[in-house]
Amino acid sequence: MIRNETKTVKIGNIYLGGNNKILIQSMCNIKTSKVSRVVKQIHELEEAGCDLIRVSILDENDAKALKKIKKQIHIPLIADIHFSFKLAMLSMKNGADKIRLNPGNLKNETEIESIIQYAKEHDIAIRIGVNSGSVPHELIKENNNHVSTDLMLDQLDQYIKIFEKHNFTNLVLALKASNPLVTLECYRKASERYTYPLHIGVTETSIKDVGLIRSTIALAPLLMEGIGNTIRISLSDDPIEEVRAAKRLLHDLNLYDDYYTIISCPMCGRTTANTKNIATKVIEILEKHHSNKVVACMGCVVNGIGEGMQADIGIACAKKDSYIIFKKGEIIDKVNGKELLNKFEKYLLEIE
Ligand code: SF4
């Protein structure tokens, strides 16, 4: 898939934009000053495939914690700051590889200039973003109380000009709305207008079942059009679910190779098996082994093996408490429910 041309921005030890892979990011949901818990969460996210991690900076303790956290993790650390110039400076001084800033939340341009100066001298990237909720009220009022995509882009444009005036181009841009169609339109326009890399995502999407759909509505078309250099799938859920969802989306759009494909049937009157439960447990096994195989969990052998023919390995229910395990459509074992998952794991490891 052809990607839109963008500048490349260095964040810690990795590069974002240009021809680099699309980076997956998430955000810790623990207070940043609780260092050991934050580090533990980041390690789990690294293990799950997170490329960049963001933490909230609410006070000086959070900003100072960055130094300790950074020493113990392996992926670039992003500080998320609102309203405080002081915390932005302190975060950079304590090792943030990138800061996320909404310049509209700062007091004046002098504060922004000082941040730019420090970031420039220390090679720190800045993500500037406009959210539909952060457009100033006066502007919304002037626009008939409507947050349009043009209003969001105009706002972003004003911020970019300040950075460019000071020759700072180590920028990543974001334009997020909780409405996926507004988000989609914003990023399409931003991609035509700017060559800075884009952080794409729908904001405040809600719980997983809802959020996955809303995120996909915006992100799938953007990614297929070559737009987007880093993604976050925001969910009201454990951040690890955000990373898995991002991997799934990128993988199924052929933008991420090293991940498994799971096929499981919806179940019908032909089966006595609960493919939902089996598939859930199979997924745990696939995640544990960082599998990149195609795996099928089918409720019966009538259609199961045929439909699972494309799978590297699969399970189909033969009759009550009796299952077959197959590889590429060939039956390799017949097992009962108790043996099923252990045997599946054993056969999976043979082909990993
Ligand atoms: S694989 Fe079998 S049990 Fe599952 S939906 Fe198809 S026919 Fe029904």
Side-chain angles (χ1 to χ4, degrees):
M1 206 177 290
I2 296 169
R3 313 296 313 153
N4 276 11
E5 267 184 42
T6 69
K7 294 185 199 311
T8 302
V9 169
K10 186 168 175 277
I11 303 171
N13 55 1
I14 57 176
Y15 290 89
L16 172 64
N19 286 324
N20 295 290
K21 69 170 188 170
I22 298 166
L23 301 177
I24 293 171
Q25 60 177 288
S26 185
M27 196 165 176
C28 287
N29 59 4
I30 298 164
K31 174 124 173 71
T32 306
S33 55
K34 297 188 185 309
V35 174
S36 55
R37 286 181 57 206
V38 169
V39 167
K40 184 172 176 281
Q41 186 171 53
I42 295 175
H43 285 166
E44 284 163 9
L45 292 167
E46 284 176 355
E47 175 77 10
C50 186
D51 297 305
L52 298 166
I53 187 69
R54 184 155 46 112
V55 292
S56 316
I57 307 298
L58 303 178
D59 53 36
E60 284 193 22
N61 288 337
D62 288 341
K64 286 179 186 161
L66 293 173
K67 193 178 253 173
K68 293 182 194 154
I69 295 169
K70 206 178 148 176
K71 278 189 195 146
Q72 300 175 65
I73 63 171
H74 314 91
I75 54 176
L77 186 59
I78 306 166
D80 189 278
I81 302 136
H82 285 282
F83 308 111
S84 174
F85 159 74
K86 201 171 137 197
L87 292 181
M89 295 300 288
L90 202 57
S91 297
M92 291 193 288
K93 286 176 186 165
N94 279 280
D97 296 303
K98 178 180 164 207
I99 58 170
R100 183 259 174 149
L101 207 62
N102 181 344
N105 286 342
L106 294 174
K107 245 194 267 153
N108 52 50
E109 209 173 308
T110 317
E111 289 188 345
I112 303 175
E113 282 167 8
S114 304
I115 292 170
I116 292 173
Q117 199 51 39
Y118 191 91
K120 235 165 121 173
E121 285 165 12
H122 295 83
D123 206 15
I124 298 167
I126 299 180
R127 191 241 289 190
I128 51 173
V130 174
N131 279 19
S132 52
S134 70
V135 176
H137 290 305
E138 318 80 73
L139 293 178
I140 300 173
K141 254 185 169 176
E142 283 169 25
N143 200 43
N144 296 325
N145 290 321
H146 173 60
V147 185
S148 65
T149 53
D150 287 334
L151 199 62
M152 288 172 69
L153 275 147
D154 288 349
Q155 188 67 33
L156 183 65
D157 215 45
Q158 284 179 28
Y159 298 150
I160 292 173
K161 282 195 179 112
I162 302 171
F163 283 83
E164 289 181 341
K165 193 165 86 184
H166 297 281
N167 297 320
F168 186 90
T169 54
N170 218 10
L171 287 176
V172 180
L173 308 180
L175 280 153
K176 294 186 181 182
S178 54
N179 180 319
L181 297 177
V182 173
T183 304
L184 177 59
E185 194 182 329
C186 276
Y187 280 106
R188 277 184 176 145
K189 287 181 177 175
S191 155
E192 277 170 21
R193 205 182 283 192
Y194 308 110
T195 55
Y196 295 110
L198 296 175
H199 164 121
I200 61 171
V202 181
T203 191
E204 295 133 10
T205 61
S206 185
I207 58 165
K208 197 163 111 182
D209 288 355
V210 181
L212 291 178
I213 292 174
R214 297 176 82 191
S215 293
T216 306
I217 288 170
L219 299 189
L222 289 170
L223 292 164
M224 287 165 77
E225 291 164 28
I227 299 168
N229 307 93
T230 175
I231 69 170
R232 179 187 179 201
I233 297 192
S234 305
L235 298 172
S236 307
D237 209 318
D238 188 321
I240 214 146
E241 296 298 332
E242 297 191 344
V243 174
R244 287 180 182 168
K247 281 169 80 171
R248 171 63 47 221
L249 181 63
L250 292 174
H251 176 266
D252 287 5
L253 291 172
N254 286 339
L255 291 165
Y256 190 103
D257 292 335
D258 203 14
Y259 205 39
Y260 61 87
T261 299
I262 178 96
I263 303 159
S264 64
C265 83
M267 296 181 275
C268 70
R270 286 193 186 90
T271 188
T272 52
N274 186 327
T275 52
K276 181 188 171 195
N277 289 347
I278 295 171
T280 304
K281 286 179 184 140
V282 162
I283 284 174
E284 282 170 22
I285 294 169
L286 298 173
E287 289 285 350
K288 182 170 96 182
H289 296 296
H290 299 285
S291 176
N292 58 8
K293 299 293 180 243
V294 179
V295 179
C297 296
M298 312 306 270
C300 76
V301 287
V302 177
N303 292 322
I305 299 182
E307 287 176 20
M309 200 76 162
Q310 305 305 320
D312 295 309
I313 182 165
I315 291 166
C317 178
K319 56 183 186 201
K320 196 165 171 39
D321 200 38
S322 172
Y323 299 84
I324 54 163
I325 299 177
F326 55 90
K327 278 186 189 171
K328 299 273 184 200
E330 297 290 319
I331 297 173
I332 53 166
D333 207 348
K334 290 184 183 169
V335 298
N336 63 33
K338 241 182 166 178
E339 303 166 308
L340 180 64
L341 292 168
N342 284 342
K343 283 279 183 83
F344 167 81
E345 188 169 11
K346 171 182 164 287
Y347 289 123
L348 173 76
L349 290 177
E350 285 175 8
I351 56 168
E352 281 295 341

